Amino acid sequence: MDFKLTEEQLMIQQAARDFAQTELLPGVIERDEHSKFPADAVKKMGELGFLGMMVDPKYGGAGLDSVSYVLAMEEIAKVDASAAVVMSVNNSLVCAGMEKYCSEEQKQKYLVPLAKGEVIGAFCLSEPEAGSDATSQKTTAIDMGDYYLLNGTKNWITNGSTASTYLVIAQTDVEKGHKGINAFIVEKGWAGFEIGPKEKKMGIRGSDTHSLMFTDVKVPKENRIGEDGFGFAFAMNVLNGGRIGIASQALGIAQGAYELALKYAKERKAFKTEIINHQAVAFKLADMAVNITAARMLCFKAAAEKDNGEDISISGAMAKLFASKTAMDTTIEAVQIHGGNGYVSEYHVERMMRDAKITQIYEGTSEIQKIVISRGIAK
């Protein structure tokens, strides 16, 4: 295996790093405090090609590989995890799912503006009762002939009010179970489609998270993705790739916290020497470095397998499981290294600790990743 990045990959990494430092770092604390969506930064991310990184250029994307995506996600998440999750959803869930499974007409109408970053999308699976259990959809889409009648509620939807295009998973035939589930493209502004209040969250406060309500929303037949009953398979396949995005976000949060803790440890003095010279601190940093490197390799492995067209259900779950734990562990220790300063916002690490927790929850909890992995290795 070649661990050396290509010249193009290094350029993408540097471009993302420069963008994060110049466009995201200023104001990141204020956006967190006021739960402010980074609208201007997201617009610029689109202009730079960060919202459709892996989409074929013929559909408006950058046509890059998944490793480049991991590199860019890490750099963005190092500074602002809220901006990173917008990027992750648009790339890994919305654009990836549409490019692979949508019709040519659907791609031209919806994928092109999404890949260009002219608009952003949302992936609507979770529900008040179902959570991550895609087989227990309460949202229904009744076949009315030339259209479906959509009714139900979706929860915890990233880009909930800022998206223009929504991929909605709904049950069409209850008797068929998961084979009676479909995926639909829904537009903002359609009659009966309402957006609930923004959620007040512990972390990633800048991201736009809402509940969505559908009341007799008419969805044209041509907006169904794939054949009738394909919705469950669509959701599962898309989520497999989405785990790479979340793992990369977790990786970035961990790396950002580690860099801040390392810098602080080299400057802060206690007992007449910099605290990095005390083993209690140095060993924490050593553990961070090892785990972050391991998490990065798992992300690269999953990304490379995706580019090779391999099954990434296990590798993606492993990357997300380990990277999210690494993010949580690293940020907790980063706060500890900062001492009292770690508990105040100006040092950033307390925000990173709050942001890290969500990476263990969305796209399936850590327990769900273990289910995926254990089932895979048992085959």
Side-chain angles (χ1 to χ4, degrees):
M1 182 179 291
D2 186 3
F3 290 95
K4 186 175 182 181
L5 299 175
T6 66
E7 185 175 339
E8 182 181 46
Q9 289 167 342
L10 290 170
M11 288 175 61
I12 295 299
Q13 182 184 50
Q14 188 60 52
R17 182 177 298 153
D18 292 343
F19 174 81
Q21 294 296 321
T22 58
E23 299 291 342
L24 292 174
L25 185 57
V28 66
I29 294 175
E30 180 185 2
R31 290 194 300 274
D32 173 72
E33 289 177 347
H34 297 285
S35 298
K36 183 179 179 181
F37 182 78
D40 292 340
V42 169
K43 184 175 183 295
K44 291 178 181 177
M45 286 166 70
E47 293 170 353
L48 291 170
F50 288 132
L51 297 183
M53 292 188 69
M54 296 168 288
V55 176
D56 192 305
K58 70 179 181 181
Y59 297 120
L64 297 169
D65 64 327
S66 298
V67 174
S68 295
Y69 171 56
V70 170
L71 293 168
M73 274 292 300
E74 178 182 349
E75 293 301 327
I76 300 298
K78 273 169 58 175
V79 175
D80 188 348
S82 294
V85 74
V86 176
M87 179 177 165
S88 175
V89 168
N90 208 71
N91 276 285
S92 296
L93 300 181
V94 180
C95 285
M98 296 186 79
E99 183 175 26
K100 187 171 183 179
Y101 297 111
C102 280
S103 67
E104 186 63 27
E105 292 75 18
Q106 290 170 339
K107 291 177 185 178
Q108 292 296 335
K109 183 175 181 180
Y110 296 109
L111 177 59
V112 171
L114 285 163
K116 288 182 176 179
E118 296 172 349
V119 298
I120 58 175
F123 186 80
C124 310
L125 174 64
S126 294
E127 295 185 353
E129 295 180 18
S132 299
D133 182 5
T135 63
S136 301
Q137 297 295 297
K138 300 300 182 184
T139 298
T140 59
I142 305 304
D143 191 341
M144 304 298 288
D146 58 350
Y147 66 89
Y148 288 89
L149 206 58
L150 185 66
N151 284 278
T153 300
K154 294 294 182 179
N155 274 29
W156 317 115
I157 306 303
T158 299
N159 303 337
S161 71
T162 47
S164 297
T165 305
Y166 300 77
L167 303 188
V168 182
I169 312 300
Q171 187 83 49
T172 299
D173 190 334
V174 176
E175 293 184 358
K176 292 182 179 178
H178 72 277
K179 293 182 178 180
I181 294 174
N182 278 301
F184 302 92
I185 304 171
V186 177
E187 297 179 26
K188 178 187 282 185
W190 282 358
F193 179 10
E194 296 184 17
I195 300 170
K198 186 172 182 177
E199 300 290 353
K200 297 179 180 179
K201 307 189 298 292
M202 178 177 79
I204 57 166
R205 292 174 176 171
S207 71
D208 190 30
T209 309
H210 294 256
S211 291
L212 309 178
M213 286 75 74
F214 305 97
T215 306
D216 290 339
V217 177
K218 291 184 177 180
V219 182
K221 214 56 170 291
E222 59 266 27
N223 277 41
R224 187 187 71 203
I225 299 175
E227 298 296 322
D228 185 29
F230 180 65
F232 178 77
F234 172 81
M236 294 301 99
N237 288 329
V238 170
L239 287 175
N240 279 340
R243 292 182 180 117
I244 296 176
I246 299 308
S248 304
Q249 181 192 15
L251 171 64
I253 294 170
Q255 180 66 27
Y258 165 72
E259 290 179 7
L260 289 172
L262 179 61
K263 181 176 182 293
Y264 187 83
K266 290 179 178 180
E267 297 172 350
R268 177 76 163 89
K269 288 186 176 182
F271 305 103
K272 299 181 180 180
T273 187
E274 291 75 12
I275 61 174
I276 197 170
N277 294 323
H278 299 301
Q279 283 189 345
V281 172
F283 284 6
K284 290 181 186 295
L285 291 163
D287 285 338
M288 290 181 189
V290 171
N291 289 329
I292 290 170
T293 300
R296 186 176 293 110
M297 292 301 103
L298 283 170
C299 289
F300 284 170
K301 181 178 185 293
E305 289 180 355
K306 182 175 184 293
D307 288 336
N308 290 333
E310 300 175 43
D311 181 2
I312 58 167
S313 55
I314 295 178
S315 61
M318 284 183 172
K320 182 187 179 296
L321 176 66
F322 191 80
S324 61
K325 184 180 186 304
T326 296
M328 198 70 251
D329 293 347
T330 300
T331 53
I332 288 172
E333 294 292 21
V335 170
Q336 192 73 17
I337 288 171
H338 279 76
N341 287 331
Y343 218 63
V344 296
S345 62
E346 68 179 284
Y347 287 85
H348 297 280
V349 288
E350 63 85 24
R351 183 187 76 253
M352 292 175 168
M353 184 175 71
R354 289 186 284 106
D355 290 345
K357 187 59 190 174
I358 193 61
T359 66
Q360 293 183 305
I361 299 173
Y362 55 20
E363 301 287 333
T365 63
S366 297
E367 290 74 20
I368 289 176
Q369 306 313 309
K370 292 179 182 179
I371 291 173
V372 172
I373 296 165
S374 61
R375 286 177 177 174
I377 62 178
K379 289 182 180 179

